[in-house]
Amino acid sequence: MLLYFRMCQSFKILLSAICLFSASYGHSQSFDSWLVRYATSQSPNNKSLDNAIVSRNLISKHLNIFEFKFSEFKKETDIEKIIGSEPGVISYMPNLKLQTRNRVPDDFFVEDQWSLDIISAGKAWQQTTGRPDSDKNNVVIAILDDGYDLQHEDLRDNYWVNDQEIPDDGIDNDGNGFIDDNMGINIQTDSPNHAGVKHGTQVSGIIGAKGNNGIGIAGLNWDSSLLIVSGVSNIGEVIKSMEYVYEFKLRYIQSGGKSGANIVACNFSGGLKYLFPEDFPDWCEAYELLGTVGILSVIAVANEDIDVEVEGDLPTLCESEFLIAVTNTNQFDKKVIQSAYGDHSVDLGAPGEKIISSSIGNDYETISGTSASAPHVTGAIGLLASLPCPVLSSLTIDNPMEYARVIKSSLINGVDLIPELSQTLSGGRLNIFKSMLQLRSVCGSPDIENLKLQVTPNFIAEQSPPAYISLTYQSDVIDSHTLSIYDMSGKLWYEESFAPPLFENGSLVIDYNSIRLSAGNYVFQISNPKAQYSALFQVIR
């Protein structure tokens, strides 16, 4: 029996009004592009379709979904007659165009990135600023969107490069079915040519604009690897893009990290209102597919004041434990009125109003809407994945589904509770540092009794190359610490603030020649709001 959409057939009379897809889709509407899913190992074999079909393309081999492009627009009843009786057909659905989920802001004069403070990005950066592409265990973040500015000054160094693909040689070097995808893919054209569009550029900036480089903005991941997929405008392209991303992570796992990409999150800031999972079950199943290899999919809910569980919204309502749906909050830490909610389906809130980000042409401007909220959560996943936690890192290959569950749990349980977000699963707004603290139950924490300080070596003679002063310490206080160096008269020679690591004992290294201590005795002092510890140190010239 053909499984179709929301199983309305059994209750056709009673639910006929509910089964209509509102403004987005009705059964009487016609479309020239349809997505058809076949049982495993089955493929289209209806020869009578040849004259009616312009193209027939496999867009997901793992889910066995094909896109049928017809020469004429077809209604649901037409598709039922043409394909419904074909052996192996599981389901079919129209390949609807998607709605991007950003709202044009009314004020472009934003002085700074207000969202970073409210989600504790500064405290999180004291632990990690991301992991660069040169790291052998690099953390990769996939972005599905319309297009990107490849030459933007704040992004060009943070795009992920597929080093197994030789650019512009016309050969599929890595055998993934795409030619010359050295820097992502345009999923519409199957080419590496990305359109320079501002929406994808803005989303990329929030997630991973280069930080601490003296220009532009700081993305949540200063050192990031952004795998970009452009040309995503309809459901089929979303599924095809997710298949592309899945293949890279699958290779990473199967090769033990030697090839592919360690993709931890996939951001998509688009969707369709007033639809339910039963309408497009195969779209929802694609999120489960990514979850099997440890990829969390972050999506933006509708920019409407609606309860998605009553009104419908996709992909928000897809029942995958590996999907994270994000609603919008503002500078006053309140839910933006024009953003959706749902007790079980909307996971948390994140800043999304007047967010300054990168734009095309080395420019910067603000973006508002859940399109800006979702990448804050995606960027947070990148930071969590880059923390020095061997237990968590081992799960990426050994048990990727558990890895994704742990990361998602830390995000949900680490929120700041906000009354206006009570109608979400977490009841709160993203707090990256609190999410990091949630991981201490997995990653461990320093075995502390009291604050301790050890200075090694005790004697340093001036030498070339420069000598270094090494300090190791233990602290159970997560607030900022201060290191001070005094001489015996009480004169301050050196001072710096630092944050202790969350999962291990800390160490500091100071270049001796950078402070040029004279011969004599000194006191090294580490202090925090709860304790202070000092040790003597002698310099011999």
Side-chain angles (χ1 to χ4, degrees):
M1 179 180 178
L2 180 67
L3 171 64
Y4 180 68
F5 302 149
R6 293 171 56 191
M7 303 303 293
C8 292
Q9 301 301 325
S10 300
F11 305 92
K12 190 171 183 179
I13 297 176
L14 293 177
L15 298 183
S16 58
I18 299 176
C19 290
L20 291 177
F21 298 164
S22 188
S24 297
Y25 171 60
H27 290 295
S28 62
Q29 290 182 264
S30 300
F31 304 91
D32 64 343
S33 178
W34 287 77
L35 304 176
V36 185
R37 185 178 182 187
Y38 288 81
T40 304
S41 76
Q42 293 284 331
S43 60
N45 54 23
N46 192 331
K47 298 298 183 183
S48 64
L49 291 176
D50 291 347
N51 293 331
I53 293 180
V54 175
S55 63
R56 178 190 301 157
N57 299 308
L58 177 66
I59 64 170
S60 174
K61 68 180 181 181
H62 294 281
L63 297 177
N64 209 24
I65 298 176
F66 292 79
E67 180 196 5
F68 283 29
K69 187 78 171 180
F70 290 89
S71 56
E72 297 179 350
F73 283 70
K74 303 291 184 183
K75 297 180 181 179
E76 174 197 329
T77 53
D78 299 328
I79 297 299
E80 171 67 25
K81 293 177 182 178
I82 296 172
I83 299 175
S85 60
E86 187 175 349
V89 172
I90 296 177
S91 62
Y92 51 82
M93 56 189 178
N95 190 15
L96 301 185
K97 291 289 184 181
L98 299 170
Q99 306 155 349
T100 57
R101 292 188 160 170
N102 65 310
R103 301 205 321 275
V104 178
D106 59 3
D107 184 359
F108 285 91
F109 302 97
V110 179
E111 295 182 356
D112 55 22
Q113 295 172 262
W114 65 266
S115 63
L116 300 179
D117 288 335
I118 208 167
I119 61 175
S120 298
K123 295 179 73 172
W125 286 338
Q126 291 182 311
Q127 302 295 325
T128 178
T129 57
R131 190 174 295 169
D133 192 30
S134 58
D135 192 300
K136 64 180 180 179
N137 295 315
N138 62 312
V139 170
V140 180
I141 299 169
I143 306 174
L144 315 185
D145 221 293
D146 47 10
Y148 311 90
D149 184 350
L150 298 186
Q151 299 304 317
H152 195 285
E153 60 186 359
D154 238 3
L155 289 168
R156 59 191 176 206
D157 293 334
N158 281 356
Y159 290 125
W160 180 73
V161 175
N162 179 10
D163 58 12
Q164 297 183 17
E165 188 76 22
I166 300 172
D168 303 323
D169 68 349
I171 300 173
D172 180 14
N173 304 106
D174 62 0
N176 70 343
F178 295 89
I179 296 173
D180 293 336
D181 59 324
N182 176 254
M183 190 180 287
I185 197 71
N186 183 323
I187 210 69
Q188 279 187 359
T189 62
D190 290 350
S191 76
N193 303 317
H194 302 280
V197 184
K198 78 175 181 180
H199 187 270
T201 306
Q202 291 172 321
V203 169
S204 300
I206 295 171
I207 296 171
K210 189 72 175 176
N212 201 32
N213 62 351
I215 58 174
I217 63 170
L220 286 174
N221 293 261
W222 298 0
D223 302 300
S224 59
S225 297
L226 307 177
L227 169 56
I228 51 176
V229 182
S230 65
V232 182
S233 65
N234 60 39
I235 298 172
E237 288 160 355
V238 172
I239 296 174
K240 185 178 177 182
S241 299
M242 294 170 74
E243 177 89 3
Y244 177 78
V245 170
Y246 170 83
E247 285 282 357
F248 275 116
K249 184 59 177 291
L250 183 64
R251 290 187 180 201
Y252 179 85
I253 293 172
Q254 292 177 339
S255 68
K258 295 180 181 178
S259 64
N262 183 22
I263 302 167
V264 298
C266 181
N267 189 94
F268 175 58
S269 293
L272 287 168
K273 295 176 289 187
Y274 311 127
L275 296 177
F276 291 82
E278 298 90 328
D279 302 329
F280 296 92
D282 303 330
W283 184 6
C284 289
E285 191 161 341
Y287 296 103
E288 283 292 296
L289 180 67
L290 290 193
T292 63
V293 290
I295 299 175
L296 288 170
S297 296
V298 183
I299 57 99
V301 304
N303 285 306
E304 298 281 351
D305 185 22
I306 59 173
D307 184 339
V308 296
E309 287 154 18
V310 175
E311 303 290 342
D313 190 57
L314 285 180
T316 305
L317 289 175
C318 291
E319 295 180 2
S320 172
E321 63 178 317
F322 306 108
L323 184 69
I324 301 176
V326 188
T327 193
N328 189 7
T329 61
N330 60 23
Q331 300 97 315
F332 306 104
D333 226 5
K334 297 182 180 296
K335 187 186 85 69
V336 174
I337 294 176
Q338 293 300 314
S339 59
Y341 56 92
D343 288 336
H344 306 289
S345 302
V346 178
D347 293 283
L348 75 166
E353 285 299 285
K354 299 179 182 178
I355 305 299
I356 188 168
S357 188
S358 48
S359 190
I360 56 176
N362 279 340
D363 201 359
Y364 301 88
E365 60 182 89
T366 57
I367 175 176
S368 291
T370 56
S371 277
S373 303
H376 279 86
V377 175
T378 306
I381 294 173
L383 289 178
L384 295 174
S386 68
L387 287 167
C389 175
V391 174
L392 194 57
S393 296
S394 66
L395 291 177
T396 59
I397 292 177
D398 298 338
N399 192 343
M401 295 176 72
E402 182 62 19
Y403 173 86
R405 293 185 185 109
V406 170
I407 294 292
K408 181 177 179 179
S409 177
S410 72
L411 289 168
I412 299 300
N413 294 323
V415 298
D416 286 328
L417 296 177
I418 295 175
E420 290 196 0
L421 292 175
S422 61
Q423 287 185 280
T424 64
L425 181 67
S426 67
R429 185 253 310 129
L430 173 70
N431 185 310
I432 305 176
F433 187 68
K434 285 186 178 179
S435 295
M436 290 181 173
L437 293 178
Q438 291 291 322
L439 292 176
R440 294 182 103 175
S441 62
V442 175
C443 303
S445 57
D447 184 14
I448 302 298
E449 294 182 2
N450 297 294
L451 178 61
K452 300 177 181 178
L453 172 65
Q454 179 181 359
V455 183
T456 57
N458 287 326
F459 299 88
I460 288 185
E462 188 173 15
Q463 56 183 308
S464 183
Y468 293 89
I469 306 170
S470 173
L471 302 94
T472 60
Y473 64 91
Q474 297 177 334
S475 178
D476 61 353
V477 178
I478 61 175
D479 293 327
S480 181
H481 289 50
T482 301
L483 166 67
S484 306
I485 302 178
Y486 299 92
D487 63 20
M488 300 311 292
S489 69
K491 177 184 177 181
L492 178 66
W493 284 75
Y494 181 82
E495 187 170 78
E496 71 168 289
S497 296
F498 63 93
L502 296 178
F503 312 133
E504 58 192 0
N505 294 330
S507 63
L508 296 171
V509 177
I510 304 170
D511 181 353
Y512 162 65
N513 281 347
S514 69
I515 52 178
R516 306 297 300 175
L517 298 176
S518 303
N521 294 319
Y522 294 85
V523 175
F524 282 70
Q525 178 179 285
I526 287 182
S527 58
N528 62 44
K530 292 185 178 180
Q532 177 176 298
Y533 195 90
S534 301
L536 286 173
F537 186 88
Q538 186 175 23
V539 173
I540 299 176
R541 296 290 298 272

